Amino acid sequence: MRIKRLSAAASAVLLIALGACSSGTDKSASPEDTGPVSLTFWTWAPNMDKIADAWNAGHPNIKVTVSKQSGGDETAAKFLTAAKAGNAPDIIQAEYQMLPSFVAADAVADISGDVGTAKSEFSDGIWKLVTLGTDAVYGLPQDSGPMMLYYRTDLFAKYGIEVPKTWDDYAAAARKVHAADKSVYLGGFSSKDPGWFAGLAQQAGGQWWNVDGQTWKVGINDAATTKVADFWGGLVKDGVVDTQAQWTSDWNAALSNGKLLTWSSAVWAPGVLSSNAPGGKGKWAIAPLPQWSAGENYSGFWGGSSSAVSANSKHKKAAAQFIAWMNTDPAAADLLIKQAAVYPAATKSQALLTTAPDYFSNQADFWQQASAISSTARGFTFGPDVNVAYNAYKDNFDKAIAAKSSFTDALTATQQATLADMTKAGFQVAS
Amino acid sequence: MSTPAPRRDDRYGKGARAGRAGAVPYLFLAPAIVLFLLFFALPIGYTAYLSLRRTRVSGLGLGKGSRHEIFVGLDNYKDAITDAEFWRSWVRVLGYGTVVLTVMLGLALVFALILDSEAVRLARFGRISIFLPYAVPGVIASLMWGFLYLPSLSPIHQALHAVGVDDVNLLDPSILTFSLANIAVWGGTGFNMLVLYTALRATPRDYYEAARIDGASELQIAVRIKIPILLPSIVLTTIFSIIATMQVFTEPTTLRSISNTISSTWTPLMKVYRDAFVTGDLYSAAATSVIIAAISLIVSFGFLRAVRKRAFADEE
């Protein structure tokens, strides 16, 4: 009902607006060369207005106004609706996995002609996330979420385990810890976080989507990802990893009271840990994710977002200029780090991070380690229906955990749901 | 009812009066009609229109003009009806609804009868405290019960632990239906009780006095007199509850984030939400909504037809 009412309200507003506009011809569309332009920017990172202020002070002809949004998923849905209605903002913060959906809906512009040499500022893995493997550039990377292993130094000593170098080590340690105390787990498997699983799949070398000429290749159950799913499926079946839904009060409690010894998470985890498990300050440290074979050194990405220019924008060039400044200029990077608390995507900007987060005061080289890990992270291209794949992941892995059934089957079901959706929509696909 | 005014009006002749009266009622009705059309008829029409369409992508689906909206006839309906998961969600709702309807309406009836009986003390306090949960918004109620269902903070688990029962998962698939129904019962009993109680208070007390003089006990009065009198109200509350049950959404959606046992299509309405806002397929969502509306209509009118003769015999 709410949808229906909203659409009706929207049409009512539209009717009134049409009535108001009907006198005289519309002259509001100002051409780009006449005087100052003003741009709106939808973002959910904190204090972005301060970054806009810094830009506005130096650029009287391009005024950026920040409109604070609630978060990734809601903003994506809202932006797609606004783009359809023709009143989208000029600039939008877009999570990497949402960008292809925006491109597919023709809601963001190709700015390859306006961003000059920006490509050289970013690692190849991250750059691919904004080009989707094509020649176009649909946005500039803003922040990134390379994954690493967060672990409790005190409890590792207590249970007599080493930091796991490989996933085999991890499995052995998981069994050892759980055998020592039935209420304690080395780590957890989250069926609520498809982005987390996607990061682990990236680490293993999975390629969920690929563009091949005019065809999408979908490989959610490719060999690398199947290996990851099987690994966790085995641990879940044996009951040696935690499977409770994450991000609940119980999960927070487990992180604080030592029932969970590790969390394979991303570079933004200190913020989560300090608010959800404040008691653990100074007890956690970071290490690279365990590897699939000894001697390898890879990571994946969980989260992170880009800045894109709306296809509706009347001032695409100006908008592209702003996002290029925000994501590559050292002064802007400094503000991004200090005010917006993001881990910047630009390689040079990452070096600006020097003082370890307060929560990790015990690990003085936190950012040096993070930067080293970040350089090993590999991403993959996201497809145009990540929403469908992510939703199928949640449903299928929820079910597999409850039934302790095969994770390979759950992964296959996720692949099939994604393929079926793309085929139904008319995409050219091959698996 | 005759007053001087209408008689004087007669002098102006029938034509003039009818003409004026003809426009005036519509003028008064206009706000309601406009609002009805704008916020009710138009959205329903738009939903029906959307349900017959779909977007069609060509090639990679990237870039300009690769996405079109096309007319697909009843394809969206066919997809919804042939989706086994959709019917499984109805089965789950049927189980859930059976629990909610029997327990909630049973409790509401018992509470209404108790509060109406002569013997009860603190009736006012009882009435308010039973009604109070109804004032709590569904999302808040679900969040609160969610905290009670999770083990680490919950007094329920502490109580179970005290009597030696451990390792109970209140969101386990086997008891999930009851845990969800519990929230609806907690929130809905008060409202239904109030409807029944109001009907009871509107009944002349003479009936009960006569019955008492004839030697009927309080229980006999309740079963033989009060419940038959309440029948129309019971039918009303049942229909409201059936409709609410078929549209259950808030509780499972809220609990979904803290549990691995609730899928994104656990109830029919959750499927609509998923299609419209998660996977971005407004067209399938529209078709499914129309089907849900049709089923709701059939079930509630079916129920009304089945019980009308008994419940409303006096009034016909």
Side-chain angles (χ1 to χ4, degrees):
Chain A
M1 276 315 263
R2 194 177 301 154
I3 326 162
K4 298 175 197 161
R5 285 189 187 148
L6 268 180
S7 65
S11 17
V13 170
L14 195 70
L15 282 176
I16 294 162
L18 282 177
C21 291
S22 57
S23 57
T25 47
D26 188 6
K27 281 182 183 172
S28 65
S30 62
E32 251 169 71
D33 45 6
T34 60
V37 300
S38 77
L39 305 171
T40 47
F41 178 18
W42 284 8
T43 174
W44 59 86
N47 296 323
M48 288 300 263
D49 48 337
K50 302 224 166 72
I51 291 160
D53 288 347
W55 163 268
N56 293 339
H59 300 79
N61 276 331
I62 303 173
K63 184 177 183 302
V64 175
T65 312
V66 166
S67 166
K68 183 90 163 55
Q69 304 297 312
S70 57
D73 287 348
E74 292 87 352
T75 308
K78 190 172 154 188
F79 173 69
L80 282 172
T81 314
K84 208 168 182 181
N87 53 12
D90 298 280
I91 306 159
I92 172 88
Q93 181 177 358
E95 286 181 297
Y96 293 120
Q97 78 273 13
M98 290 312 300
L99 197 56
S101 314
F102 291 176
V103 175
D106 204 7
V108 292
D110 174 6
I111 49 170
S112 51
D114 303 319
V115 291
T117 57
K119 183 180 190 300
S120 60
E121 304 279 343
F122 305 94
S123 74
D124 285 349
I126 289 179
W127 188 250
K128 215 175 152 188
L129 293 172
V130 295
T131 62
L132 318 186
T134 66
D135 293 331
V137 177
Y138 295 109
L140 288 184
Q142 179 184 302
D143 52 279
S144 81
M147 290 181 74
M148 48 197 79
L149 187 72
Y150 290 79
Y151 67 98
R152 281 283 293 262
T153 46
D154 54 338
L155 296 175
F156 266 44
K158 181 183 165 194
Y159 290 99
I161 46 176
E162 298 277 306
V163 177
K165 291 266 182 290
T166 64
W167 286 109
D168 285 339
D169 294 348
Y170 183 91
R175 288 174 210 284
K176 185 173 172 188
V177 167
H178 192 61
D181 184 342
K182 287 281 170 238
S183 70
V184 175
Y185 295 100
L186 179 67
F189 179 86
S190 179
S191 52
K192 294 286 174 219
D193 293 306
W196 168 82
F197 186 73
L200 293 180
Q202 290 169 351
Q203 188 213 9
Q207 294 288 340
W208 286 9
W209 284 274
N210 256 319
V211 176
D212 181 14
Q214 280 302 301
T215 308
W216 281 101
K217 284 202 155 167
V218 185
I220 295 173
N221 63 344
D222 63 7
T225 312
T226 305
K227 181 171 68 181
V228 179
D230 275 346
F231 172 79
W232 288 99
L235 294 179
V236 168
K237 199 168 183 183
D238 294 346
V240 294
V241 287
D242 183 34
T243 53
Q244 68 168 308
Q246 298 193 351
W247 312 98
T248 67
S249 54
D250 272 40
W251 181 70
N252 289 345
L255 279 179
S256 352
N257 62 19
K259 300 290 179 199
L260 277 171
L261 269 51
T262 71
W263 184 29
S264 32
S265 185
V267 71
W268 40 258
V272 177
L273 287 172
S274 59
S275 65
N276 294 19
K281 188 181 166 197
K283 295 175 185 165
W284 290 80
I286 55 168
L289 283 183
Q291 300 297 316
W292 284 103
S293 24
E296 259 181 18
N297 195 9
Y298 290 117
S299 180
F301 293 104
W302 181 12
S305 47
S306 60
S307 330
V309 176
S310 159
N312 294 142
S313 172
K314 295 193 181 81
H315 313 291
K316 295 194 186 69
K317 226 179 184 65
Q321 238 176 304
F322 170 72
I323 63 172
W325 170 82
M326 183 176 81
N327 294 308
T328 60
D329 188 272
D334 192 51
L335 284 170
L336 271 183
I337 292 164
K338 293 205 176 113
Q339 298 289 349
V342 302
Y343 187 69
T347 321
K348 265 189 284 182
S349 311
Q350 293 174 359
L352 295 172
L353 283 155
T354 45
T355 323
D358 200 27
Y359 195 83
F360 285 83
S361 48
N362 53 317
Q363 198 168 19
D365 64 344
F366 182 92
W367 291 117
Q368 286 76 1
Q369 284 228 37
S371 170
I373 293 168
S374 172
S375 65
T376 67
R378 48 182 176 184
F380 56 49
T381 308
F382 285 101
D385 64 341
V386 172
N387 280 342
V388 174
Y390 277 18
N391 183 69
Y393 169 87
K394 289 184 199 171
D395 276 353
N396 287 305
F397 282 85
D398 267 355
K399 228 192 285 175
I401 285 176
K404 289 202 188 265
S405 60
S406 155
F407 272 34
T408 317
D409 291 353
L411 189 66
T412 309
T414 306
Q415 157 89 357
Q416 278 162 354
T418 311
L419 262 186
D421 175 75
M422 289 183 78
T423 313
K424 183 179 155 191
F427 289 101
Q428 285 284 332
V429 279
S431 58
Chain B
M1 286 299 278
S2 69
T3 57
R7 212 180 292 160
R8 218 168 55 201
D9 251 346
D10 282 352
R11 276 188 240 146
Y12 294 99
K14 267 188 176 163
R17 193 176 142 214
R20 258 206 334 260
V24 171
Y26 290 109
L27 201 67
F28 281 114
L29 279 176
I33 291 175
V34 167
L35 288 176
F36 175 82
L37 288 176
L38 219 56
F39 295 107
F40 203 78
L42 191 74
I44 289 179
Y46 187 55
T47 307
Y49 168 77
L50 279 182
S51 72
L52 302 174
R53 302 177 71 83
R54 183 180 283 177
T55 49
R56 188 85 198 148
V57 170
S58 51
L60 283 180
L62 305 177
K64 283 211 180 310
S66 56
R67 189 170 280 225
H68 307 277
E69 203 178 279
I70 55 165
F71 178 80
V72 290
L74 296 176
D75 274 10
N76 290 326
Y77 290 93
K78 211 161 50 190
D79 286 351
I81 289 171
T82 53
D83 179 4
E85 177 58 22
F86 181 54
W87 297 110
R88 278 197 289 273
S89 73
W90 280 107
V91 172
R92 284 188 288 261
V93 164
L94 189 69
Y96 165 86
T98 313
V99 178
V100 171
L101 283 174
T102 48
V103 177
M104 181 174 74
L105 296 178
L107 280 178
L109 180 61
V110 169
F111 284 142
L113 289 172
I114 290 176
L115 288 177
D116 188 56
S117 78
E118 303 283 308
V120 75
R121 283 150 205 272
L122 293 172
R124 212 182 145 78
F125 174 77
R127 213 161 60 219
I128 290 179
S129 41
I130 298 170
F131 182 72
L132 208 57
Y134 182 68
V136 177
V139 176
I140 310 287
S142 308
L143 280 174
M144 190 190 77
W145 280 104
F147 280 118
L148 292 174
Y149 290 157
L150 285 175
S152 76
L153 300 171
S154 164
I156 300 177
H157 283 83
Q158 281 164 14
L160 286 172
H161 179 74
V163 297
V165 184
D166 274 316
D167 278 340
V168 184
N169 180 1
L170 291 173
L171 295 167
D172 192 76
S174 57
I175 46 172
L176 179 66
T177 300
F178 298 97
S179 299
L180 284 171
N182 174 50
I183 304 176
V185 169
W186 179 82
T189 301
F191 171 76
N192 291 294
M193 175 208 71
L194 212 63
V195 172
L196 300 179
Y197 178 75
T198 313
L200 276 178
R201 296 310 280 186
T203 314
R205 317 303 285 178
D206 320 0
Y207 294 174
Y208 311 148
E209 213 176 307
R212 244 172 244 126
I213 289 168
D214 287 345
S217 69
E218 283 295 316
L219 185 68
Q220 280 172 320
I221 293 176
V223 175
R224 302 263 174 92
I225 301 178
K226 291 184 177 177
I227 293 185
I229 287 175
L230 277 182
L231 221 48
S233 307
I234 294 176
V235 169
L236 178 84
T237 52
T238 310
I239 288 192
F240 281 166
S241 307
I242 289 178
I243 295 173
T245 300
M246 284 196 280
Q247 297 184 351
V248 59
F249 173 76
T250 313
E251 294 88 355
T253 304
T254 310
L255 289 191
R256 184 166 181 250
S257 63
I258 61 161
S259 153
N260 291 331
T261 50
I262 305 172
S263 67
S264 64
T265 50
W266 205 82
T267 74
L269 217 57
M270 286 172 78
K271 175 185 156 65
V272 173
Y273 177 82
R274 183 203 65 180
D275 286 349
F277 298 113
V278 180
T279 60
D281 184 357
L282 216 49
Y283 314 95
S284 297
T288 312
S289 322
V290 173
I291 295 173
I292 293 174
I295 293 177
S296 303
L297 267 180
I298 292 168
V299 173
S300 28
F301 276 105
F303 174 77
L304 202 58
R305 237 186 127 80
V307 298
R308 181 158 50 192
K309 285 247 159 53
R310 276 183 63 98
F312 303 112
D314 298 349
E315 291 159 35
E316 277 175 21

